[in-house]
Every structure is written in structure tokens, then in C-alpha cells.
Amino acid sequence: MNPIVTISGGGIIGNYISSRLSKNNIESIVIEKSTEEAENKNYIRTLTLNSFSKKLIDDLGIQIPLAKIKKINVFDGEGTGKINFSSSEVGEDNLSYVAFFDELQHELNKKAYQRIIHGVQIKDISEDSNTNSLNVLLSDQEIVNTKFVAGCDGRKSKVAEISSFKEITGNYHQTAITFTAKCSLKEVNLAYQIFSEKGIFAIMPLPANNTDSTHTIVWSVNDKRLVNSDINNYVHKNIAFFEKQLFTKIEISSDILSFKLFNHHVKEYMTGSIVLIGDAAHSIHPLAGQGINLGFADADAFCEEIIKGYEKSNNINQKLVLKRYEIRRKNMNLLMLKSMDFFVNLFRSENLYIKLLRNFGLSSVNKNQFLKRFFINHASGKNKI
Ligand SMILES: Cc1cc2nc3c(=O)[nH]c(=O)nc-3n(C[C@H](O)[C@H](O)[C@H](O)COP(=O)(O)OP(=O)(O)OC[C@H]3O[C@@H](n4cnc5c(N)ncnc54)[C@H](O)[C@@H]3O)c2cc1C
């Protein structure tokens, strides 16, 4: 096998990259450690796509049911601070789109199917200086000769480990809880985010063809609140607080999933002809639903640089191509990570003065059209993140 790009990880980002490169006649293979895709999709976990990510999947011809978000109301559940975002404020039809994770993963699996090798992983990568390429040893002892290795294998990336990428990690000491629920909110395309001592609670509409459940909830809770309570109990005991805030009954309609929340960011995105993309390079708090959007923006920049490089010559300078990708993405991602951490810390604080300040801050930004447009344009993907 001599693909130009060997991708470790057939998640959303790895499969997207393989499909986009294939559309541009650049050969790739995807090494995915899990065996064939599980058939029992649970339709619980969701992703919020911004308009730029949506365009990327549209361009691949992927059609999946999406729920549109036109307005987001954000407020402090224990104070008076609030801020409302609306797509009409920036002249857009929608702010973002909610998709089922399984649905997008499944469609991208179908697109990349012929190029995915399941049940194996990369064991070693060595340089072949004679041919200016890499030899990749797989766990089934097969050797792949390739020009680039792209680590798209998530937060605990094997490629990062093998190639000794250095990372900065942090623990939010929070757990993200997610489930679907039936409830009747005031408007169909409206999402809410409530900051409170009981956690950061986001409720968003679900794609319309799912008749069973109408909303998805992503709720991040400080771990110290979960010490004496199991997650199911915590949800059932505290959901009434948010029902009161939203003036609606929230009827849980799925299993309750939970994930420990960490952040990480690698110091460099590339070494030689090896590169990290998506969650392999960075992971972020789900507070603003930007994880997958950063990954798509990375994937787009990586594909653009490779495609541009091969348009000019077959003999490209791999390091230069990857350096361009790194320059385009690293600072942008770092800025988003730091901003998210700032919000998480601001809303975690139970200090009275900080509470007053954040209530004042939210309401002030709400009155400032310039700042509001800035936030909306970045979060919705109108301005590239
Ligand atoms: C509760 C929760 C809610 C979230 N909500 C949102 C949201 O609303 N919006 C949003 O944008 N983001 C959200 N995210 C983040 C988002 O899910 C991730 O950013 C995204 O899935 C990253 O995609 P990826 O393809 O880079 O990595 P992953 O999804 O981690 O995929 C990695 C792939 O690599 C494979 N793999 C792992 N190790 C190896 C190996 N050694 N060899 C080969 N293959 C390997 C895995 O099996 C997997 O297929 C959320 C995350 C959580 C935890």
C-alpha cells in the first residue's frame, strides 16, 4: 500500500479528510482501531454544527436530518444576567444546526468505507530518507509506505504518543451529562443555556424526523456535586430547577450518558511529515458546542494545503505543507480554548462579587450590538474559527 496520506482514526474528522482528499484524487487510507461500525446507534449524543461545518458536509453530498437553531437565550439561573443571540442580528437564516453524532458518523463511514481498515492501529512510524516518505507499521504487521501520517485518533492519540508530541492538559473537574427529553419550549428553533450552581445546562431542538424525543440536553456539572450522588440520581433530583427556569416539564426520554471533561492542546501540530488534527490536537469544554467545528476547520485547512501542494507538483515539501496548516490553525484553536476556559471558570465561581460581575457582564454585552455580532459571527462560523 502506498497512499499519499495515512489517517489514524476513522471518527468524523478522519473520515471527512479521507473523503475530501478522494474527491480531489488524492489517495488515503484510514486505520481505525475499532472493528466494523456498531449497528446499535443510540441517538442520544448530538453535535452542534456551525454554518461552515455544515457547508463542508454539504459539499461532500452528505444529507442528514438537522435541527435549526435561530435563537439562543443565555442566562444566569441564580441572577439577573442574560444575553440573547438571534440569527437575524447578523442577517443569517440560522445560528447553528443540531445533528445526531451517530448519524453524521454513519454517513461519513459510508463515504470513506472503501478506504477504512478496521481492527488495526499504528504501532510504529519510521522515516525512509531515500524516498522522502514514511514507513508505517500496523498492528497486523503490514507496512504502509506513505507521504503523510495524519493523527485523527482523538484525545488519546496513538500518533501523538508514538511521535512524542508534547501536550498541555487540564482537568475541568466537571462531568458532561447528556440525554434527550420531551418538553414544550416557547419556540421550535430556540435553544437555551442556563448557568447555575447546579451546572451549565444547554437544551436544544433535535432533528425533526425523530418523533420520539424533541430536545437534547448537555449539562456540565462540577464533580464535587456528584461525590455523594450517582449521575442518574443527580439528574432526577435537580431537573426541577431547570423546569422552573424554563416554565416547562422536562420528560427524560433516553438513557443518560456521561463523560468526564478534560482539555488538552499539543504544543506543536506537526513534526516532519506527521500531523495532528481535530481532537487529537485539542479538546475543549462542550459549553459552546465548538469541538467538532474546530476539528472541521482544521480538516479543511489541512485538505486545502495538501490539495494546493499537489496541484503545483507531485514532489511536494511535506514539512512546508504541514507548517502552513499549523500556522493557520494553532493560534485560532488556542484562542477558542482559552476563551472557553475563561467562561468555565467565571461561571464555576460561587464568589458573590464574581456572580454580580458576570450578571452585569452578560446584560451589558446583551446591550452592545457590536460585541453581540462579534460573538455570533464567530460561534456560527460566519467568521472562520
Ligand atoms: C458530552 C459531549 C458533548 C459534545 N458536544 C459537542 C457539540 O455539541 N458540538 C461539538 O462541536 N462538539 C461536541 N463535542 C466534541 C466532539 O464530539 C469532538 O470534538 C469530536 O467527536 C472529535 O472528532 P474526532 O474525529 O477528532 O475524534 P474522535 O471522535 O475522538 O474520533 C477518533 C477516532 O479514532 C479512533 N481511534 C482511537 N484511537 C485509535 C488508534 N490508536 N488507532 C486507530 N484509531 C483510533 C476512535 O475509535 C475514533 O473512531 C462533545 C463532546 C462530548 C464529550
Side-chain angles (χ1 to χ4, degrees):
M1 274 188 283
N2 294 87
I4 301 229
V5 183
T6 297
I7 299 164
S8 174
I12 288 174
I13 298 306
N15 286 348
Y16 169 80
I17 290 172
S18 178
S19 308
R20 166 98 173 258
L21 293 178
S22 166
K23 211 175 153 197
N24 288 275
N25 302 317
I26 295 175
E27 272 179 52
S28 65
I29 55 164
V30 179
I31 310 295
E32 168 57 44
K33 88 168 169 188
S34 67
T35 45
E36 292 283 315
E37 187 191 0
E39 272 311 307
N40 53 340
K41 302 178 196 62
N42 57 26
Y43 289 93
I44 300 175
R45 195 172 153 192
T46 53
L47 291 170
T48 319
L49 301 175
N50 66 23
S51 54
F52 183 69
S53 302
K54 179 178 179 297
K55 182 183 174 309
L56 295 183
I57 61 168
D58 284 349
D59 290 348
L60 281 187
I62 288 179
Q63 300 275 324
I64 50 168
L66 296 170
K68 295 170 181 163
I69 298 183
K70 290 182 187 291
K71 273 192 204 166
I72 306 176
N73 291 351
V74 181
F75 59 93
D76 190 319
E78 271 119 27
T80 51
K82 64 166 191 194
I83 182 164
N84 307 318
F85 298 106
S86 161
S87 53
S88 59
E89 287 174 272
V90 286
E92 289 287 300
D93 288 339
N94 302 298
L95 285 175
S96 53
Y97 304 83
V98 183
F100 278 107
F101 181 94
D102 289 336
E103 201 121 46
L104 184 55
Q105 172 80 59
H106 179 66
E107 287 307 309
L108 280 161
N109 275 350
K110 279 201 309 201
K111 281 273 168 211
Y113 184 72
Q114 289 173 327
R115 298 177 298 279
I116 306 178
I117 305 170
H118 280 278
V120 277
Q121 40 179 322
I122 294 178
K123 263 179 84 178
D124 193 29
I125 307 169
S126 56
E127 265 188 53
D128 182 341
S129 47
N130 294 331
T131 56
N132 188 26
S133 62
L134 299 168
N135 284 325
V136 178
L137 173 66
L138 304 183
S139 51
D140 62 1
Q141 304 308 319
E142 174 114 24
I143 293 175
V144 179
N145 182 261
T146 191
K147 291 285 181 193
F148 296 92
V149 170
C152 304
D153 40 7
R155 194 171 67 80
K156 293 191 174 150
S157 166
K158 187 80 182 166
V159 171
E161 183 196 314
I162 291 172
S163 313
S164 305
F165 278 86
K166 294 204 171 45
E167 62 172 11
I168 301 164
T169 54
N171 185 342
Y172 288 116
H173 300 289
Q174 288 189 346
T175 296
I177 298 168
T178 189
F179 53 91
T180 62
K182 292 184 203 170
C183 59
S184 40
L185 294 176
K186 269 196 300 203
E187 292 169 46
V188 180
N189 301 115
L190 176 64
Y192 285 94
Q193 188 151 40
I194 306 172
F195 290 91
S196 77
E197 280 168 21
K198 295 187 188 299
I200 306 171
F201 183 93
I203 181 160
M204 294 165 283
L206 277 175
N209 79 343
N210 187 296
T211 48
D212 235 19
S213 25
T214 53
H215 287 82
T216 171
I217 286 161
V218 181
W219 183 357
S220 322
V221 180
N222 286 345
D223 284 341
K224 65 178 181 194
R225 293 198 165 259
L226 297 169
V227 173
N228 295 321
S229 174
D230 102 326
I231 286 172
N232 273 319
N233 282 345
Y234 184 85
V235 168
H236 285 100
K237 235 165 91 186
N238 290 287
I239 195 114
F241 173 83
F242 298 102
E243 291 180 324
K244 216 163 138 200
Q245 301 277 335
L246 296 166
F247 304 103
T248 184
K249 185 101 196 98
I250 300 173
E251 200 185 314
I252 299 167
S253 57
S254 72
D255 287 343
I256 296 171
L257 306 182
S258 64
F259 310 81
K260 288 265 173 230
L261 292 176
F262 299 94
N263 66 1
H264 89 288
H265 192 244
V266 288
K267 287 189 175 167
E268 312 292 339
Y269 283 18
M270 46 100 39
T271 171
S273 310
I274 304 168
V275 65
L276 299 181
I277 301 171
D279 270 26
H282 45 75
S283 52
I284 185 173
H285 196 283
L287 156 70
Q290 291 300 335
I292 201 71
N293 296 314
L294 295 183
F296 270 119
D298 286 359
D300 176 61
F302 171 74
C303 290
E304 264 185 15
E305 293 303 335
I306 297 259
I307 295 163
K308 244 191 314 184
Y310 277 100
E311 265 167 12
K312 288 189 191 141
S313 149
N314 262 347
N315 213 357
I316 65 174
N317 180 333
Q318 289 107 305
K319 281 183 195 156
L320 198 65
V321 166
L322 297 186
K323 197 71 201 165
R324 285 207 192 99
Y325 153 76
E326 184 184 69
I327 290 169
R328 283 174 65 178
R329 294 305 309 154
K330 199 168 89 175
N331 288 340
M332 236 16 190
N333 290 335
L334 201 55
L335 181 68
M336 184 59 93
L337 246 77
K338 294 274 174 219
S339 318
M340 245 9 84
D341 288 358
F342 170 76
F343 279 108
V344 172
N345 287 326
L346 185 66
F347 285 96
R348 188 177 8 221
S349 176
E350 292 175 12
N351 177 303
L352 178 68
Y353 294 105
I354 294 185
K355 274 190 189 173
L356 285 171
L357 191 69
R358 75 192 181 210
N359 275 291
F360 174 73
L362 279 180
S363 301
S364 308
V365 174
N366 198 36
K367 287 182 199 135
N368 185 323
Q369 279 307 314
F370 172 79
L371 272 180
K372 271 180 88 177
R373 270 193 219 111
F374 175 83
F375 282 129
I376 300 173
N377 283 334
H378 277 80
S380 68
K382 194 174 173 187
N383 289 357
K384 262 193 185 182
I385 51 172

